[in-house]
């Protein structure tokens, strides 16, 4: 393998991590001012803020690895949907607050693991950002896991909402563990974990929370993977509007 | 200045006061702080509940006009700054509801009164944010006006309110600087950006002046609030101070304040300026501003949509407490 393709693999991998953080942060920011309680509004915005910070780090690294002079902002605001590399799960619309929390928990439980693995990356740039992000995400998963458990247990209505969110998002969560050749090559070099390797621990951790919550994951192992859903184009149209409409402006 | 037109009481003369009221007034005159468990006249308590409640409501309704641009913020840095700012406002709402709760009313009761229209929030939040420059104008002008009122309130007579103000003022000053920075970028940017900045100033100038409430001559109930030190300056004093501070900043930005009569008056050592259209103000307060229905509707929707979530958490907490007792 040429060193070029290694660098392109790393670029793509940094984009995946950055795009996940960016898109999920954007979704959470849609709730700001509309949360179900003031404390929730504040806490969910904290998570959005952590993720936008992480997006700046990962996209900054991606720009550096690409070496074409693109900044984190260029990558966030000037790519079209087809060039985004985020997991399908994070671009799914918010739905009700239970749906948002379930999406968060399914992602956080994966995120905490992938970051833990990346702190041991053979590429110190990945290891360094992962270590910073892991401290924040340890709190995210604790919070979202507790809320999923509490709401699954709460009232018949809260239980039904959480179960329906789990049913709707399950196949998107599965996509987090379906790897491609980029994952395989990076895993071989100890740069990033193999996508599938994270599944057993994720199953164990989420299984414990679902048991507490009285929720049942769907039996189907089907996983959506690749491309994007219709939701991403709309998200980007809103997010990228100003830099696209006024390309000469500095903000 | 998130508390406008808070109905207070006619000023009570010393000879009309009971012994307890006279002793209470003497403590305030001596600059002492009144704390939650201490005796206070019922009218003082009711006035403060209205004032702090209105202030708290203004913080959470105030999240909405700025929240309108979070998902369209033009850079990662700007988005993070705006998110953090709107989050701070939720935090201010939280401190203020807590301060109001020390007076014997719950947050839920206060929110109920906001939703029913029995309590108001600041008129300024019934104006729309139409362009990105409006986010700068809100930080610069709206937070600027709020600070004018809130800095003196750090010395108000009610301890929990005064202490909440100390914390809030620190954050508001930071927001105001960020707003001015955003406005500077716009005013010195492309011709289109500069036009957005001027348009934002045109639209937010008079509504910002209205934030201080009607002129003192029409504000019949401030005398008692001032005697109680829950209002420190008159509306006109604060409005003058705001214009004196803001007009030179507009000039520095190369923007024009939309007032032909704005001129420096050497004699009074301040600007002469035009009054806002008070008929518009009363219409907005009565519910007829451009966004009243949208703003209140968004708050009510968030609250109603979140009921199952709050109920679910409460039910879970009760089950857990019951299980804990059963295990003991």
């Amino acid at each position: 393998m040429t060193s070029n393709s290694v660098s392109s693999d790393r670029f793509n991998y940094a984009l995946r991590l950055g795009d996940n953080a960016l898109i999920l942060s954007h979704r959470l920011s849609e709730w700001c001012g509309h949360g179900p309680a003031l404390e929730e509004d504040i806490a969910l915005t904290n998570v959005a803020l952590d993720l936008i910070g992480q997006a700046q780090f990962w996209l900054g690294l991606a720009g550096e690895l690409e070496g074409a002079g693109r900044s984190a902002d260029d990558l966030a605001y000037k790519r079209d949907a087809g060039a985004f590399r985020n997991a399908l799960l994070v671009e799914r619309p918010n739905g009700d607050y239970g749906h948002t929390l379930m999406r968060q928990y399914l992602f956080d439980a994966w995120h905490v693991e992938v970051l833990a693995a990346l702190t041991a990356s053979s590429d110190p740039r990945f290891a360094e950002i992962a270590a910073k992000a892991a401290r924040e995400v340890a709190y995210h998963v604790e919070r979202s896991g507790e809320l999923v458990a509490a709401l699954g247990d709460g009232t018949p209505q809260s239980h039904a909402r959480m179960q329906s969110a789990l049913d709707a998002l399950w196949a998107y969560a599965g996509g987090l563990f379906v790897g491609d050749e980029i994952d395989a090559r990076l895993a071989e070099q100890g740069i990033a974990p193999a996508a599938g390797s994270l599944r057993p621990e994720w199953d164990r951790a989420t299984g414990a929370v679902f048991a507490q919550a009285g929720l049942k994951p769907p039996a189907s192992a089907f996983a959506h993977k690749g491309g994007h859903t219709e939701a991403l184009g709309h998200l980007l149209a809103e997010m990228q509007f100003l830099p696209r409409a006024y390309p000469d402006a500095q903000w | 200045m998130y508390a406008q037109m808070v109905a207070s009481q006619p000023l009570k003369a010393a000879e009309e006061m009971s012994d307890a009221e006279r002793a209470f007034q003497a403590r305030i005159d001596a600059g002492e702080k009144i704390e939650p468990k201490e005796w206070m006249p019922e009218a003082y308590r009711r006035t403060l509940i209205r004032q702090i409640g209105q202030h708290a409501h203004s913080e959470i309704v105030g999240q909405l006009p700025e929240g309108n641009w979070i998902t369209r913020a033009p850079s990662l840095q700007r988005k993070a700054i705006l998110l953090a700012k709107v989050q701070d406002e939720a935090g201010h709402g939280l401190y203020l509801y807590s301060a109001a709760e020390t007076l014997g009313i719950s947050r839920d009761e206060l929110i109920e009164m906001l939703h029913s229209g029995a309590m108001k929030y600041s008129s300024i939040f019934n104006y729309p944010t139409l362009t990105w420059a409006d986010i700068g104008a809100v930080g610069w002008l709206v937070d600027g006006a709020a600070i004018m009122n809130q800095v003196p309130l750090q010395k108000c007579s009610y301890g929990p309110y005064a202490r909440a103000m100390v914390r809030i003022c620190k954050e508001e000053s930071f927001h105001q600087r960020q707003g001015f920075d955003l406005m500077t970028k716009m005013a010195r940017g492309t011709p289109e950006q500069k036009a957005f900045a001027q348009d934002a100033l045109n639209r937010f100038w008079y509504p910002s002046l209205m934030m201080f409430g009607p002129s003192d001559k029409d504000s019949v109930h401030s005398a008692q609030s001032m005697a109680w030190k829950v209002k420190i300056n008159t509306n006109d004093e604060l409005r003058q101070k705001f214009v004196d501070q803001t007009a030179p900043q507009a000039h520095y930005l190369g923007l024009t304040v939309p007032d032909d009569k704005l001129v420096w008056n050497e004699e009074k050592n301040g600007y002469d300026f035009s009054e806002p259209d008070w008929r518009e103000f009363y219409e907005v307060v009565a519910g007829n501003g451009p966004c009243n229905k949208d703003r209140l509707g968004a708050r009510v929707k968030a609250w109603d949509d979140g009921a199952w979530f709050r109920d679910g958490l409460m039910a879970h907490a009760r089950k857990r407490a019951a299980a804990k007792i059963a295990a003991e």
Side-chain angles (χ1 to χ4, degrees):
Chain A
M1 164 184 340
T2 68
S3 70
N4 241 356
S5 77
V6 173
S7 140
S8 147
D9 286 347
R10 289 183 208 206
F11 164 69
N12 273 297
Y13 200 81
L15 270 190
R16 289 177 187 180
L17 294 163
D19 288 346
N20 281 340
L22 175 68
I23 300 301
L24 186 55
S25 165
H26 188 93
R27 283 290 184 224
L28 298 182
S29 78
E30 293 171 359
W31 275 106
C32 188
H34 304 273
L38 266 180
E39 289 84 349
E40 268 309 302
D41 214 305
I42 293 168
L44 199 73
T45 303
N46 257 339
V47 177
L49 279 165
D50 286 346
L51 290 173
I52 201 167
Q54 294 174 22
Q56 283 173 297
F57 282 122
W58 290 124
L59 295 179
L61 174 60
E64 212 179 287
L65 289 164
E66 185 189 38
R70 287 202 281 183
S71 66
D73 274 357
D74 292 335
L75 289 167
Y77 289 94
K78 292 178 185 164
R79 279 178 299 152
D80 203 346
F84 270 76
R85 295 284 171 266
N86 57 281
L88 297 179
L89 178 67
V90 299
E91 71 189 45
R92 297 305 298 150
N94 284 337
D96 68 15
Y97 203 71
H99 201 90
T100 293
L101 287 173
M102 181 59 78
R103 183 187 62 200
Q104 192 65 34
Y105 176 60
L106 296 171
F107 178 78
D108 289 342
W110 170 82
H111 204 195
V112 76
E113 273 193 70
V114 78
L115 292 172
L118 283 169
T119 57
S121 171
S122 61
D123 184 330
R125 293 168 298 186
F126 279 85
E128 197 188 321
I129 299 172
K132 262 186 259 179
R135 281 192 289 276
E136 296 168 345
V137 172
Y139 160 75
H140 301 173
V141 71
E142 187 184 322
R143 190 187 109 78
S144 59
E146 277 172 10
L147 284 170
V148 166
L151 292 166
D153 176 61
T155 61
Q157 191 188 170
S158 72
H159 178 86
R161 283 176 185 259
M162 298 316 285
Q163 183 64 55
S164 114
L166 179 56
D167 293 344
L169 293 166
W170 184 248
Y172 293 104
L176 293 166
F177 304 100
V178 182
D180 61 9
E181 63 281 9
I182 294 175
D183 293 284
R185 283 197 295 268
L186 291 175
E188 220 169 87
Q189 296 169 72
I191 293 170
S197 70
L198 304 173
R199 181 94 202 211
E201 176 54 24
W202 186 88
D203 278 335
R204 190 203 59 76
T206 56
V209 166
F210 295 147
Q212 261 181 287
L215 297 172
K216 269 179 69 176
S220 165
F222 170 74
H224 290 291
K225 176 67 186 175
H228 288 289
T229 68
E230 288 179 347
L232 185 64
H234 293 282
L235 184 154
L236 295 180
E238 187 171 339
M239 184 176 93
Q240 298 177 337
F241 153 66
L242 279 172
R244 295 237 188 231
Y246 304 97
D248 301 328
Q250 300 281 312
W251 306 99
Chain B
M1 166 86 28
Y2 290 159
Q4 293 159 319
M5 302 182 68
V6 172
S8 172
Q9 305 292 316
L11 181 61
K12 235 184 196 184
E15 56 274 18
E16 299 171 297
M17 291 182 190
S18 67
D19 289 349
E21 284 170 338
R22 253 193 303 276
F24 178 81
Q25 187 63 50
R27 288 188 59 199
I28 289 180
D29 293 343
E32 283 181 42
K33 291 273 181 268
I34 308 302
E35 295 299 334
K37 291 197 173 138
E38 296 170 346
W39 184 85
M40 62 187 77
E42 186 55 22
Y44 175 86
R45 194 182 69 83
R46 278 203 311 269
T47 300
L48 270 173
I49 286 177
R50 292 201 76 80
Q51 183 170 337
I52 301 174
Q54 193 181 116
H55 192 160
H57 298 329
S58 297
E59 296 285 355
I60 61 162
V61 177
Q63 289 184 270
L64 300 170
E66 290 177 282
N68 181 41
W69 278 90
I70 288 174
T71 54
R72 290 175 291 170
S75 73
L76 297 171
Q77 179 71 5
R78 287 286 174 204
K79 184 147 82 168
I81 289 172
L82 184 57
L83 256 179
K85 179 182 189 230
V86 178
Q87 182 193 39
D88 281 347
E89 282 154 12
H92 297 172
L94 204 53
Y95 313 149
L96 288 162
Y97 284 123
S98 304
E101 283 185 318
T102 65
L103 293 158
I105 189 160
S106 71
R107 196 203 306 180
D108 285 5
E109 286 173 289
L110 287 165
I111 286 176
E112 177 86 3
M113 286 193 269
L114 168 68
H115 292 175
S116 73
M119 283 181 92
K120 302 278 185 209
Y121 54 89
S122 177
S123 58
I124 190 73
F125 302 119
N126 292 313
Y127 289 87
T129 53
L130 301 176
T131 75
W132 176 246
D134 289 9
I135 300 308
V138 168
W140 173 36
L141 301 174
V142 176
D143 291 335
I147 292 165
M148 285 291 158
N149 180 55
Q150 291 170 10
V151 165
L153 282 176
Q154 295 177 99
K155 292 192 217 123
C156 82
S157 63
Y158 190 56
Y161 193 31
R163 288 187 289 274
M165 279 303 142
V166 171
R167 207 164 152 183
I168 289 173
C169 281
K170 274 189 203 146
E171 294 178 352
E172 294 285 14
S173 312
F174 187 55
H175 297 162
Q176 201 218 357
R177 282 201 299 278
Q178 289 172 328
F180 191 72
D181 174 64
L182 196 164
M183 215 55 186
T184 308
K185 274 270 193 231
M186 297 297 283
R188 306 218 165 129
T190 64
E192 285 154 323
Q193 284 176 299
K194 183 163 184 186
F196 283 138
Q198 182 61 54
D199 173 58
L201 175 58
N202 293 348
R203 283 181 290 107
F204 276 94
W205 176 256
Y206 287 108
S208 299
L209 297 187
M210 291 175 196
M211 287 175 68
F212 299 96
S215 179
D216 298 333
K217 59 184 190 299
D218 305 318
S219 201
V220 287
H221 289 313
S222 19
Q224 181 64 69
S225 287
M226 292 183 85
W228 278 332
K229 291 190 190 164
V230 295
K231 183 177 170 86
I232 313 286
N233 302 93
T234 70
N235 296 347
D236 287 333
E237 278 168 11
L238 291 168
R239 190 164 19 248
Q240 181 71 51
K241 227 175 141 188
F242 174 75
V243 173
D244 291 346
Q245 176 185 291
T246 311
Q249 292 173 340
H251 182 74
Y252 170 84
L253 291 172
L255 301 176
T256 307
V257 172
D259 179 0
D260 295 342
K261 299 206 175 73
L262 183 80
V263 60
W264 179 256
N265 180 335
E266 197 62 52
E267 210 172 301
K268 77 170 184 188
N269 195 31
Y271 283 89
D272 290 333
F273 59 93
S274 302
E275 290 276 310
D277 177 356
W278 290 112
R279 281 167 314 180
E280 176 181 318
F281 172 76
Y282 287 112
E283 284 295 341
V284 173
V285 170
N288 297 324
C291 299
N292 294 57
K293 288 182 178 64
D294 291 346
R295 299 292 186 240
L296 199 57
R299 285 311 317 159
V300 170
K301 182 176 190 310
W303 186 250
D304 290 350
D305 288 355
W308 73 268
F309 170 86
R310 297 187 301 273
D311 292 346
L313 288 192
M314 294 298 284
H316 171 70
R318 278 193 300 271
K319 286 187 203 173
R320 209 164 44 174
K324 199 174 163 206
I325 289 167
E328 274 164 10

